[in-house]
Amino acid sequence: MPYINIKVTKEGVTKEQKQALISGATQLMVSVLNKVPSTTFVVIDEVETDNWGIGYDQVSVLREKK
Amino acid sequence: MPYINIKVTKEGVTKEQKQALISGATQLMVSVLNKVPSTTFVVIDEVETDNWGIGYDQVSVLREKK
Amino acid sequence: MPYINIKVTKEGVTKEQKQALISGATQLMVSVLNKVPSTTFVVIDEVETDNWGIGYDQVSVLREKK
Amino acid sequence: MPYINIKVTKEGVTKEQKQALISGATQLMVSVLNKVPSTTFVVIDEVETDNWGIGYDQVSVLREKK
Amino acid sequence: MPYINIKVTKEGVTKEQKQALISGATQLMVSVLNKVPSTTFVVIDEVETDNWGIGYDQVSVLREKK
Amino acid sequence: MPYINIKVTKEGVTKEQKQALISGATQLMVSVLNKVPSTTFVVIDEVETDNWGIGYDQVSVLREKK
């Protein structure tokens, strides 16, 4: 019954990449912990770059600096 | 002081249904644990069906298969 | 496929009360949103009263004042 | 390595206010716990007022009553 | 800068299994999204079986029935 | 009505430090967003160093290497 929550910045994650995250995270639970896939949930949260900070700064500002 | 977070797929939950979830979850805290409603928070997250996976698959894909 | 997370202070919640929270929250998803119980998760977090704050103060301190 | 998640209602929080929340929360980890800013994450979630409840009611309804 | 939270029931997950979950989840972020490992966090929560419910029931009770 | 969740490794955070985190996070909400302290929640989660990973590694292992 695992529940996996993946939070990433909202920067163009495609539907195919989301599918790859879901199947990869589910497979990890099966391989490492022998969990049942049919009751394994994966929820992806995409966070605006203005709303994510690291090292005092907004990611949106860090991206502009690069 | 309970905090309840409800995550569901974003598939047309109405304002009235959200109100019913909030009042029902709050009442549950009062009935079972004798908590105070005025400091009981309920937060509902609606998750895109591309972003929710179960049994290796995106819910958006599962919905199409049905 | 709902996921419900209930956070309460760790103050002697019994196994029976936890069961009542789980069944009540699951029933709420069925009644309001017509969700399927077999893929409805409820996770209860019990938080130490030193680790929960409201109105600037630790709950452990608020409990002593009463 | 702290992770701080701030949930507030979505009611016009500006980019500058978000920056102030990020830098203030990061500074708090440095001042109180001597944590390293470069591995301190702050994630802000803005929640629709229909989706946040307190005291049985949706915040959107409470705002109209005022 | 991904943040991955894995919630599983507290049923004897070993230190080696936790390491495998952490490295596997980090690798998934690198492979699928080209993320940087040094700012990828993985947090594992182990939840008591009394505190996790599925299909109206506590996992602790479901385990006894088996 | 903000809700702030602070996750740190479980490495001897004192009751006084927890109080400082709670009052500091609450004050941040008041100063930046003009929020009401009496309905501002702060919840601190202390995570075992085996259960927190960064850059592929468990924090418990990183601490031993230092």
Side-chain angles (χ1 to χ4, degrees):
Chain A
M1 271 153 292
Y3 172 83
I4 301 110
N5 180 225
I6 298 171
K7 288 185 196 294
V8 292
T9 45
K10 190 174 179 65
E11 299 177 278
V13 184
T14 66
K15 182 167 181 172
E16 287 68 29
Q17 288 174 320
K18 292 174 184 178
Q19 176 56 49
L21 293 174
I22 287 166
S23 62
T26 305
Q27 186 54 45
L28 189 67
M29 297 302 126
V30 174
S31 305
V32 177
L33 297 175
N34 202 28
K35 295 290 185 183
V36 177
S38 63
T39 52
T40 296
F41 288 2
V42 182
V43 172
I44 301 166
D45 290 329
E46 297 172 278
V47 178
E48 299 288 342
T49 53
D50 276 358
N51 289 22
W52 194 305
I54 179 168
Y56 292 113
D57 291 318
Q58 281 170 308
V59 173
S60 54
V61 173
L62 295 172
R63 293 295 190 240
E64 286 164 19
K65 283 184 185 165
K66 288 210 303 190
Chain B
M1 270 151 295
Y3 171 83
I4 300 110
N5 180 224
I6 297 171
K7 287 186 198 294
V8 292
T9 44
K10 189 173 180 66
E11 299 178 278
V13 183
T14 66
K15 182 167 182 172
E16 287 68 30
Q17 288 174 319
K18 292 174 185 178
Q19 176 56 48
L21 293 174
I22 287 167
S23 62
T26 305
Q27 186 55 43
L28 189 66
M29 298 301 126
V30 174
S31 305
V32 177
L33 298 175
N34 203 27
K35 296 289 184 182
V36 177
S38 62
T39 51
T40 295
F41 288 2
V42 182
V43 172
I44 301 165
D45 291 329
E46 296 171 280
V47 178
E48 300 287 342
T49 53
D50 276 358
N51 290 21
W52 194 305
I54 179 168
Y56 293 111
D57 291 318
Q58 283 171 306
V59 173
S60 53
V61 173
L62 294 172
R63 294 294 190 241
E64 285 163 21
K65 283 183 185 164
K66 289 210 305 190
Chain C
M1 271 153 293
Y3 172 83
I4 301 111
N5 180 225
I6 298 171
K7 287 185 198 294
V8 292
T9 45
K10 190 173 179 66
E11 299 177 280
V13 183
T14 67
K15 182 166 181 171
E16 287 69 30
Q17 287 174 319
K18 291 173 184 178
Q19 176 56 49
L21 293 174
I22 288 166
S23 63
T26 305
Q27 187 54 44
L28 189 65
M29 297 303 127
V30 174
S31 306
V32 177
L33 297 175
N34 202 27
K35 296 289 183 181
V36 177
S38 63
T39 50
T40 295
F41 288 3
V42 182
V43 172
I44 302 166
D45 291 329
E46 295 172 279
V47 178
E48 300 288 342
T49 53
D50 276 358
N51 291 21
W52 195 305
I54 179 169
Y56 292 111
D57 291 319
Q58 282 171 306
V59 172
S60 54
V61 173
L62 295 173
R63 294 294 190 241
E64 286 164 21
K65 283 184 185 165
K66 289 212 302 190
Chain D
M1 271 151 296
Y3 172 83
I4 301 110
N5 181 225
I6 298 171
K7 288 186 197 293
V8 292
T9 45
K10 190 173 179 65
E11 299 178 279
V13 183
T14 66
K15 183 167 181 171
E16 288 68 29
Q17 287 174 319
K18 291 174 184 178
Q19 176 56 48
L21 292 174
I22 287 167
S23 61
T26 304
Q27 186 55 45
L28 189 66
M29 298 302 127
V30 174
S31 305
V32 176
L33 297 175
N34 202 28
K35 295 289 184 182
V36 177
S38 62
T39 51
T40 296
F41 287 3
V42 182
V43 172
I44 301 165
D45 290 330
E46 297 172 278
V47 178
E48 300 288 341
T49 53
D50 276 358
N51 289 21
W52 195 305
I54 179 168
Y56 293 111
D57 292 318
Q58 282 171 307
V59 172
S60 54
V61 173
L62 294 172
R63 294 294 189 241
E64 286 162 21
K65 284 183 184 165
K66 288 211 303 190
Chain E
M1 269 152 297
Y3 172 83
I4 301 110
N5 181 224
I6 297 171
K7 288 186 198 292
V8 292
T9 45
K10 190 174 180 66
E11 298 178 281
V13 184
T14 66
K15 182 167 181 172
E16 287 68 30
Q17 288 174 319
K18 292 174 184 178
Q19 176 56 49
L21 292 175
I22 287 167
S23 61
T26 305
Q27 186 55 44
L28 188 67
M29 297 302 127
V30 174
S31 305
V32 177
L33 297 175
N34 202 27
K35 295 290 184 181
V36 177
S38 63
T39 51
T40 296
F41 287 3
V42 182
V43 172
I44 302 166
D45 291 329
E46 296 172 278
V47 178
E48 300 288 341
T49 53
D50 276 358
N51 289 21
W52 194 305
I54 178 168
Y56 292 112
D57 291 319
Q58 282 171 307
V59 173
S60 54
V61 173
L62 294 172
R63 295 292 190 242
E64 286 163 21
K65 284 184 186 165
K66 287 212 303 190
Chain F
M1 271 153 296
Y3 171 82
I4 301 111
N5 181 224
I6 297 172
K7 287 186 198 295
V8 292
T9 45
K10 189 173 179 66
E11 300 178 280
V13 183
T14 67
K15 183 166 181 172
E16 287 69 30
Q17 287 174 319
K18 291 174 184 178
Q19 176 56 49
L21 293 175
I22 288 166
S23 62
T26 305
Q27 185 55 43
L28 189 66
M29 297 303 126
V30 174
S31 305
V32 177
L33 297 176
N34 203 28
K35 295 291 184 180
V36 177
S38 63
T39 51
T40 296
F41 287 3
V42 182
V43 172
I44 301 166
D45 290 330
E46 296 172 278
V47 178
E48 299 289 341
T49 53
D50 276 358
N51 290 20
W52 194 305
I54 178 168
Y56 292 111
D57 292 318
Q58 282 171 306
V59 173
S60 54
V61 173
L62 294 173
R63 294 293 191 240
E64 286 163 20
K65 284 185 183 164
K66 287 211 304 188

